Amino acid sequence: MQIQENISLKLYNTFGIDAMSHYFATFTNEDELEELLSSDPRLKTLILGGGSNILLTNHFDGLVLKNEMKGIHEVHEDNEYVYVKAGAGENWHQFVLHCINRNWGGVENLSLIPGNVGASPMQNIGAYGVELNDVFFSLEAYHVHEKKILTFSRNDCEFGYRESIFKRMYKDQFVILNVTYQLRKHPIFNTSYGAIEQELERMGVEELSIKTISDAVINIRSSKLPNPSEIGNAGSFFKNPEISNEQFSMLNVQFPTIVGYPLPNGNVKLAAGWLIENCGPEAGISWKGYRVGDAGCHSRQALVMVNYGNATGEDIFKLSDRIKVSVKENFSVDLEREVNVI
Ligand code: FAD
Ligand code: EPU
């Protein structure tokens, strides 16, 4: 355990933003974390996982602490479930594969989401009809001021769409150390979302399993989303906005192709990618595929902002602001950023 000075974070964030951190260290257990946090209590800190959901808009004048707490253990089982505890520093997709190999069901639809286990409840990650919330059992987190470890149940986390208590009320107060997931010993297949069925058919799958669902999800994701090792990005930059059914009906009259999904509460969730694709910097030009220097809006998925090489976080943030204003002007809808702006 060593504190390094003036480190570039370029390799530690999937946007590939070349911001510097004044101090940088990794930790593999609670004792190291405690020691690092007490090295200079006045320093501001940033807990980092895989860096796949942050936008660094400036140099970080504090201490970046990269969580490398590892380990995957079965802690309990009953007739239906197995309870599996994973260290926050485990790679998420490797954890998914670990579960698939043992036929533990629940996380297969969340295959190939970049990042680490620790951020999964923080963000309440979701894809293809499943949210982390659906398989979450508990987590342990270290309170940075009170210097003690607390256990959080599903209710305590106050999960919402890409939301949890750790992004709101407890922002910057806890370091998530490990997460326990409740996985099915007899998996229930969830193929109803989006293009999964179609992809399974294209693949010629005859016998459904969590492995084939995972493979289908991987194929769909790879065809749409840019690979951060080729083009810097952090997945969806904005959330899909929720509006009332009345507002949706009015928009639908004016824009018959607008995409929205009814929610159980009567509201409608709009596809932000459609909104962004269907307006632009000037008449007849779409934001989709638009580029200013090295900052851009992806050409195959308008919800994804990209760094073609040397964009700064500020370049990307400024372009995202223009998109936000444009969506508001054209559709009277507010977009909220999903990415954590640092
Ligand atoms: P980081 O970016 O390192 O951190 C994110 C936030 O969590 C930061 O505020 C950080 O301080 C905090 N944090 C991280 N670890 C801890 C910890 N241990 N304790 C306390 N706070 C912590 N997300 C989805 O939900 N669904 C998708 O389908 C999806 N697809 C994506 C596709 C691509 C190509 C990319 C690049 C991203 C995608 N994402 C998706 C976003 C991202 O993968 C998730 O948000 C992921 O959970 C972030 O994990 P991370 O470890 O990289 O977090
Ligand atoms: N669309 C367009 N143009 C675009 C992109 C999308 O019109 O450029 C419309 C299409 O009608 C498309 C619909 O939007 O059918 C939905 O697009 P997609 O299936 O690609 O999903 P999304 O709503 O853009 C969400 C999540 C993703 C998650 C996928 C699959 C959010 C903010 N994003 O994207 O999560 O992987 O669904 O479940 O909820 C992430 O959080 O980083 C992320 C990638």
Side-chain angles (χ1 to χ4, degrees):
M1 190 189 69
Q2 189 201 346
I3 300 184
Q4 295 172 274
E5 269 187 71
N6 298 325
I7 289 289
S8 166
L9 296 173
K10 192 173 167 71
L11 296 177
Y12 295 104
N13 71 100
T14 59
F15 256 125
I17 303 294
D18 194 8
M20 302 292 287
S21 175
H22 199 158
Y23 300 105
F24 180 94
T26 60
F27 61 95
T28 57
N29 58 51
E30 287 102 273
D31 293 343
E32 288 182 355
L33 172 65
E34 196 163 336
E35 203 179 312
L36 285 164
L37 285 172
S38 49
S39 61
D40 181 350
R42 290 161 309 176
L43 272 184
K44 63 175 179 173
T45 52
L46 170 66
I47 306 299
L48 199 60
S52 64
N53 207 21
I54 54 167
L55 178 67
L56 296 159
T57 51
N58 230 318
H59 297 302
F60 189 72
D61 189 24
L63 170 63
V64 170
L65 292 173
K66 182 154 164 48
N67 188 326
E68 291 195 345
M69 294 178 70
K70 296 285 165 71
I72 302 178
H73 310 284
E74 211 180 311
V75 287
H76 177 67
E77 70 178 294
D78 54 33
N79 286 343
E80 267 185 78
Y81 297 104
V82 53
Y83 298 78
V84 186
K85 186 191 265 195
E90 287 286 346
N91 172 272
W92 172 258
H93 184 60
Q94 292 308 316
F95 171 70
V96 170
L97 294 179
H98 181 99
C99 299
I100 290 171
N101 288 338
R102 287 157 183 79
N103 202 37
W104 296 336
V107 285
E108 57 279 3
N109 293 45
L110 301 175
S111 294
L112 211 63
I113 296 181
N116 292 353
V117 159
S120 66
M122 159 109 189
Q123 300 293 137
N124 188 20
I125 56 171
Y128 297 93
V130 174
E131 272 186 347
L132 193 279
N133 167 32
D134 300 325
V135 290
F136 179 88
F137 185 70
S138 67
L139 65 77
E140 286 183 307
Y142 180 85
H143 194 293
V144 292
H145 303 301
E146 290 176 17
K147 299 183 190 309
K148 61 181 185 196
I149 296 174
L150 299 182
T151 301
F152 289 78
S153 68
R154 182 186 285 150
N155 274 347
D156 298 334
C157 293
E158 297 183 6
F159 289 122
Y161 168 50
R162 300 294 191 278
E163 282 290 352
S164 71
I165 199 159
F166 303 102
K167 272 184 97 170
R168 296 190 300 264
M169 195 165 97
Y170 291 158
K171 190 167 162 45
D172 298 329
Q173 291 188 38
F174 282 95
V175 181
I176 296 169
L177 304 172
N178 58 63
V179 184
T180 300
Y181 302 91
Q182 184 183 31
L183 301 163
R184 285 189 183 275
K185 290 161 82 174
H186 310 287
I188 295 177
F189 304 135
N190 181 346
T191 60
S192 57
Y193 188 93
I196 298 185
E197 296 274 8
Q198 218 179 319
E199 178 57 23
L200 287 164
E201 212 175 295
R202 195 199 61 80
M203 289 160 58
V205 169
E206 281 168 10
E207 202 179 325
L208 205 54
S209 66
I210 55 175
K211 170 81 172 77
T212 53
I213 294 177
S214 167
D215 288 343
V217 167
I218 289 174
N219 290 347
I220 301 168
R221 293 182 66 93
S222 310
S223 72
K224 286 192 184 186
L225 292 163
N227 181 344
S229 62
E230 289 160 14
I231 306 178
N233 76 92
S236 302
F237 196 87
F238 298 101
K239 291 183 183 179
N240 285 325
E242 183 174 331
I243 60 169
S244 69
N245 194 30
E246 292 74 44
Q247 191 183 356
F248 181 72
S249 303
M250 287 194 290
L251 282 170
N252 208 5
V253 172
Q254 215 182 335
F255 307 102
T257 61
I258 194 168
V259 179
Y261 314 95
L263 292 170
N265 64 5
N267 286 345
V268 175
K269 190 178 265 192
L270 288 177
W274 186 96
L275 299 174
I276 297 170
E277 180 171 349
N278 286 278
C279 59
E282 51 190 279
I285 298 182
S286 167
W287 290 114
K288 190 170 178 172
Y290 188 77
R291 177 173 175 170
V292 182
D294 274 353
C297 174
H298 189 51
S299 55
R300 273 183 290 145
Q301 226 300 2
L303 198 45
V304 178
M305 304 285 299
V306 292
N307 173 12
Y308 287 104
N310 293 312
T312 62
E314 216 189 332
D315 294 337
I316 289 171
F317 189 83
K318 276 188 188 153
L319 181 58
S320 78
D321 241 2
R322 289 178 64 193
I323 292 174
K324 213 166 133 45
V325 169
S326 172
V327 166
K328 178 77 175 174
E329 279 172 3
N330 283 277
F331 307 107
S332 307
V333 171
D334 287 306
L335 288 184
E336 188 190 337
R337 289 182 183 85
E338 198 242 322
V339 165
N340 297 281
V341 177
I342 311 284

